[in-house]
mmCIF file of all heavy atoms in Angstrom:
data_model
loop_
_atom_site.group_PDB
_atom_site.id
_atom_site.type_symbol
_atom_site.label_atom_id
_atom_site.label_comp_id
_atom_site.label_asym_id
_atom_site.label_seq_id
_atom_site.Cartn_x
_atom_site.Cartn_y
_atom_site.Cartn_z
ATOM 1 N N THR Z 69 140.107 101.020 131.498
ATOM 2 C CA THR Z 69 140.759 100.489 132.702
ATOM 3 C C THR Z 69 142.197 100.041 132.460
ATOM 4 O O THR Z 69 142.848 99.553 133.382
ATOM 5 C CB THR Z 69 139.956 99.292 133.251
ATOM 6 O OG1 THR Z 69 139.851 98.276 132.243
ATOM 7 C CG2 THR Z 69 138.557 99.737 133.677
ATOM 8 N N ALA Z 70 142.694 100.197 131.228
ATOM 9 C CA ALA Z 70 144.027 99.687 130.892
ATOM 10 C C ALA Z 70 145.140 100.561 131.451
ATOM 11 O O ALA Z 70 144.990 101.777 131.621
ATOM 12 C CB ALA Z 70 144.173 99.583 129.376
ATOM 13 N N ASN Z 71 146.262 99.922 131.721
ATOM 14 C CA ASN Z 71 147.516 100.626 131.964
ATOM 15 C C ASN Z 71 148.381 100.509 130.713
ATOM 16 O O ASN Z 71 148.195 99.623 129.879
ATOM 17 C CB ASN Z 71 148.275 100.024 133.149
ATOM 18 C CG ASN Z 71 147.596 100.302 134.474
ATOM 19 O OD1 ASN Z 71 147.021 99.411 135.080
ATOM 20 N ND2 ASN Z 71 147.674 101.540 134.924
ATOM 21 N N GLY Z 72 149.369 101.416 130.637
ATOM 22 C CA GLY Z 72 150.345 101.289 129.567
ATOM 23 C C GLY Z 72 151.346 100.188 129.879
ATOM 24 O O GLY Z 72 151.315 99.564 130.948
ATOM 25 N N LEU Z 73 152.232 99.924 128.935
ATOM 26 C CA LEU Z 73 153.257 98.903 129.144
ATOM 27 C C LEU Z 73 154.103 99.224 130.370
ATOM 28 O O LEU Z 73 154.424 100.386 130.634
ATOM 29 C CB LEU Z 73 154.161 98.832 127.907
ATOM 30 C CG LEU Z 73 153.528 98.226 126.646
ATOM 31 C CD1 LEU Z 73 154.346 98.604 125.421
ATOM 32 C CD2 LEU Z 73 153.420 96.711 126.777
ATOM 33 N N PRO Z 74 154.485 98.200 131.140
ATOM 34 C CA PRO Z 74 155.297 98.430 132.340
ATOM 35 C C PRO Z 74 156.646 99.069 132.011
ATOM 36 O O PRO Z 74 157.151 98.986 130.893
ATOM 37 C CB PRO Z 74 155.484 97.019 132.907
ATOM 38 C CG PRO Z 74 154.348 96.220 132.353
ATOM 39 C CD PRO Z 74 154.092 96.791 130.987
ATOM 40 N N ASN Z 75 157.249 99.687 133.016
ATOM 41 C CA ASN Z 75 158.519 100.397 132.851
ATOM 42 C C ASN Z 75 159.600 99.564 132.165
ATOM 43 O O ASN Z 75 160.384 100.079 131.360
ATOM 44 C CB ASN Z 75 159.058 100.844 134.219
ATOM 45 C CG ASN Z 75 158.368 102.082 134.747
ATOM 46 O OD1 ASN Z 75 157.596 102.724 134.039
ATOM 47 N ND2 ASN Z 75 158.640 102.419 135.995
ATOM 48 N N GLY Z 76 159.655 98.272 132.492
ATOM 49 C CA GLY Z 76 160.717 97.440 131.946
ATOM 50 C C GLY Z 76 160.740 97.405 130.440
ATOM 51 O O GLY Z 76 161.792 97.167 129.826
ATOM 52 N N HIS Z 77 159.608 97.667 129.814
ATOM 53 C CA HIS Z 77 159.523 97.629 128.356
ATOM 54 C C HIS Z 77 160.163 98.856 127.710
ATOM 55 O O HIS Z 77 160.207 98.967 126.486
ATOM 56 C CB HIS Z 77 158.071 97.480 127.912
ATOM 57 C CG HIS Z 77 157.513 96.129 128.238
ATOM 58 N ND1 HIS Z 77 157.452 95.102 127.325
ATOM 59 C CD2 HIS Z 77 157.045 95.620 129.403
ATOM 60 C CE1 HIS Z 77 156.953 94.029 127.902
ATOM 61 N NE2 HIS Z 77 156.697 94.312 129.170
ATOM 62 N N TYR Z 78 160.694 99.753 128.533
ATOM 63 C CA TYR Z 78 161.380 100.945 128.034
ATOM 64 C C TYR Z 78 162.824 101.040 128.512
ATOM 65 O O TYR Z 78 163.612 101.772 127.919
ATOM 66 C CB TYR Z 78 160.615 102.202 128.476
ATOM 67 C CG TYR Z 78 159.206 102.223 127.966
ATOM 68 C CD1 TYR Z 78 158.167 101.633 128.689
ATOM 69 C CD2 TYR Z 78 158.891 102.809 126.739
ATOM 70 C CE1 TYR Z 78 156.866 101.623 128.212
ATOM 71 C CE2 TYR Z 78 157.589 102.807 126.248
ATOM 72 C CZ TYR Z 78 156.585 102.206 126.994
ATOM 73 O OH TYR Z 78 155.301 102.201 126.506
ATOM 74 N N ILE Z 79 163.167 100.302 129.570
ATOM 75 C CA ILE Z 79 164.494 100.492 130.160
ATOM 76 C C ILE Z 79 165.269 99.194 130.380
ATOM 77 O O ILE Z 79 166.472 99.242 130.661
ATOM 78 C CB ILE Z 79 164.394 101.248 131.513
ATOM 79 C CG1 ILE Z 79 163.598 100.431 132.544
ATOM 80 C CG2 ILE Z 79 163.767 102.619 131.310
ATOM 81 C CD1 ILE Z 79 163.520 101.080 133.935
ATOM 82 N N ASP Z 80 164.632 98.047 130.249
ATOM 83 C CA ASP Z 80 165.275 96.780 130.586
ATOM 84 C C ASP Z 80 165.877 96.118 129.351
ATOM 85 O O ASP Z 80 165.192 95.914 128.344
ATOM 86 C CB ASP Z 80 164.250 95.844 131.234
ATOM 87 C CG ASP Z 80 164.880 94.534 131.664
ATOM 88 O OD1 ASP Z 80 165.412 94.486 132.787
ATOM 89 O OD2 ASP Z 80 164.854 93.581 130.869
ATOM 90 N N ALA Z 81 167.163 95.783 129.427
ATOM 91 C CA ALA Z 81 167.860 95.195 128.275
ATOM 92 C C ALA Z 81 167.299 93.833 127.901
ATOM 93 O O ALA Z 81 167.239 93.474 126.713
ATOM 94 C CB ALA Z 81 169.357 95.081 128.574
ATOM 95 N N GLY Z 82 166.879 93.057 128.886
ATOM 96 C CA GLY Z 82 166.321 91.741 128.608
ATOM 97 C C GLY Z 82 165.012 91.825 127.846
ATOM 98 O O GLY Z 82 164.772 91.077 126.891
ATOM 99 N N ILE Z 83 164.150 92.749 128.264
ATOM 100 C CA ILE Z 83 162.880 92.924 127.563
ATOM 101 C C ILE Z 83 163.114 93.492 126.165
ATOM 102 O O ILE Z 83 162.419 93.135 125.210
ATOM 103 C CB ILE Z 83 161.928 93.819 128.378
ATOM 104 C CG1 ILE Z 83 161.560 93.118 129.682
ATOM 105 C CG2 ILE Z 83 160.669 94.154 127.578
ATOM 106 C CD1 ILE Z 83 160.631 93.916 130.578
ATOM 107 N N PHE Z 84 164.099 94.370 126.038
ATOM 108 C CA PHE Z 84 164.441 94.893 124.710
ATOM 109 C C PHE Z 84 164.788 93.755 123.757
ATOM 110 O O PHE Z 84 164.351 93.731 122.604
ATOM 111 C CB PHE Z 84 165.606 95.873 124.828
ATOM 112 C CG PHE Z 84 166.047 96.470 123.512
ATOM 113 C CD1 PHE Z 84 165.351 97.529 122.950
ATOM 114 C CD2 PHE Z 84 167.146 95.965 122.838
ATOM 115 C CE1 PHE Z 84 165.754 98.084 121.735
ATOM 116 C CE2 PHE Z 84 167.557 96.506 121.629
ATOM 117 C CZ PHE Z 84 166.853 97.571 121.076
ATOM 118 N N GLU Z 85 165.560 92.771 124.248
ATOM 119 C CA GLU Z 85 165.926 91.628 123.414
ATOM 120 C C GLU Z 85 164.692 90.788 123.065
ATOM 121 O O GLU Z 85 164.557 90.295 121.947
ATOM 122 C CB GLU Z 85 166.965 90.761 124.132
ATOM 123 C CG GLU Z 85 168.351 91.379 124.177
ATOM 124 C CD GLU Z 85 168.929 91.593 122.788
ATOM 125 O OE1 GLU Z 85 168.921 90.652 121.978
ATOM 126 O OE2 GLU Z 85 169.378 92.729 122.507
ATOM 127 N N GLU Z 86 163.800 90.638 124.032
ATOM 128 C CA GLU Z 86 162.574 89.881 123.777
ATOM 129 C C GLU Z 86 161.715 90.575 122.720
ATOM 130 O O GLU Z 86 161.200 89.950 121.787
ATOM 131 C CB GLU Z 86 161.792 89.713 125.077
ATOM 132 C CG GLU Z 86 160.559 88.841 124.922
ATOM 133 C CD GLU Z 86 159.718 88.815 126.185
ATOM 134 O OE1 GLU Z 86 159.746 89.797 126.962
ATOM 135 O OE2 GLU Z 86 159.004 87.817 126.389
ATOM 136 N N GLU Z 87 161.566 91.894 122.852
ATOM 137 C CA GLU Z 87 160.780 92.646 121.875
ATOM 138 C C GLU Z 87 161.451 92.668 120.509
ATOM 139 O O GLU Z 87 160.758 92.722 119.478
ATOM 140 C CB GLU Z 87 160.557 94.075 122.373
ATOM 141 C CG GLU Z 87 159.592 94.169 123.532
ATOM 142 C CD GLU Z 87 159.268 95.593 123.920
ATOM 143 O OE1 GLU Z 87 159.889 96.532 123.369
ATOM 144 O OE2 GLU Z 87 158.386 95.783 124.771
ATOM 145 N N LYS Z 88 162.766 92.630 120.486
ATOM 146 C CA LYS Z 88 163.479 92.594 119.206
ATOM 147 C C LYS Z 88 162.982 91.430 118.367
ATOM 148 O O LYS Z 88 162.696 91.588 117.172
ATOM 149 C CB LYS Z 88 164.994 92.486 119.450
ATOM 150 C CG LYS Z 88 165.808 92.425 118.169
ATOM 151 C CD LYS Z 88 167.301 92.517 118.451
ATOM 152 C CE LYS Z 88 167.871 91.223 118.973
ATOM 153 N NZ LYS Z 88 169.362 91.279 119.043
ATOM 154 N N GLN Z 89 162.852 90.277 118.985
ATOM 155 C CA GLN Z 89 162.390 89.104 118.251
ATOM 156 C C GLN Z 89 160.882 89.138 118.023
ATOM 157 O O GLN Z 89 160.398 88.991 116.894
ATOM 158 C CB GLN Z 89 162.760 87.827 119.010
ATOM 159 C CG GLN Z 89 162.362 86.553 118.273
ATOM 160 C CD GLN Z 89 163.087 86.388 116.953
ATOM 161 O OE1 GLN Z 89 164.317 86.429 116.904
ATOM 162 N NE2 GLN Z 89 162.345 86.219 115.864
#
Side-chain angles (χ1 to χ4, degrees):
T69 58
N71 290 108
L73 289 162
N75 281 351
H77 291 263
Y78 300 88
I79 63 177
D80 183 86
I83 295 179
F84 180 80
E85 287 298 310
E86 185 186 28
E87 289 186 353
K88 179 172 77 171
Q89 183 63 54

